[in-house]
Amino acid sequence: MSSHGSTPVEFSVDLSAHEMLRRAHVLDALGPDWDPVAVLRGEEEAYELLYSGLDAEQQRIHDELVAAGVLPPRGGGRAAT
């Protein structure tokens, strides 16, 4: 097939309706009792527990990872406490 003389055809697909349907299905699957604030608060509590009680070397490594942006700082504003 030769491309000589052929004209490009513009092609576009609007997925916004599909995205709205996908979001509706996600919220439906989560159910009416899903509380995003409580979930975030629980994640923050788990993070605090995970990184509590570190020895000096572990704390140094943790601080380096936070400074490098690998880990969020404690109380990183992800959830209300």
Side-chain angles (χ1 to χ4, degrees), residues 45-67:
E45 290 169 3
Y47 180 86
E48 289 294 326
L49 182 60
L50 179 64
Y51 294 108
S52 66
L54 301 178
D55 65 28
E57 177 66 7
Q58 292 168 331
Q59 186 64 54
R60 183 190 65 75
I61 293 170
H62 177 271
D63 293 344
E64 286 181 10
L65 292 172
V66 169

Side-chain angles (χ1 to χ4, degrees), residues 19-76:
E19 177 62 14
M20 293 304 295
L21 180 61
R22 185 194 68 78
R23 289 179 186 188
H25 285 298
V26 167
L27 290 175
D28 187 46
L30 290 171
D33 297 330
W34 181 65
D35 182 354
V37 174
V39 170
L40 290 173
R41 190 173 293 123
E43 287 180 4
E44 184 69 28
E45 290 169 3
Y47 180 86
E48 289 294 326
L49 182 60
L50 179 64
Y51 294 108
S52 66
L54 301 178
D55 65 28
E57 177 66 7
Q58 292 168 331
Q59 186 64 54
R60 183 190 65 75
I61 293 170
H62 177 271
D63 293 344
E64 286 181 10
L65 292 172
V66 169
V70 174
L71 291 175
R74 286 186 171 174

Side-chain angles (χ1 to χ4, degrees), residues 4-18:
H4 298 300
S6 63
T7 306
V9 176
E10 186 174 320
F11 181 77
S12 66
V13 177
D14 182 4
L15 297 176
S16 56
H18 176 73

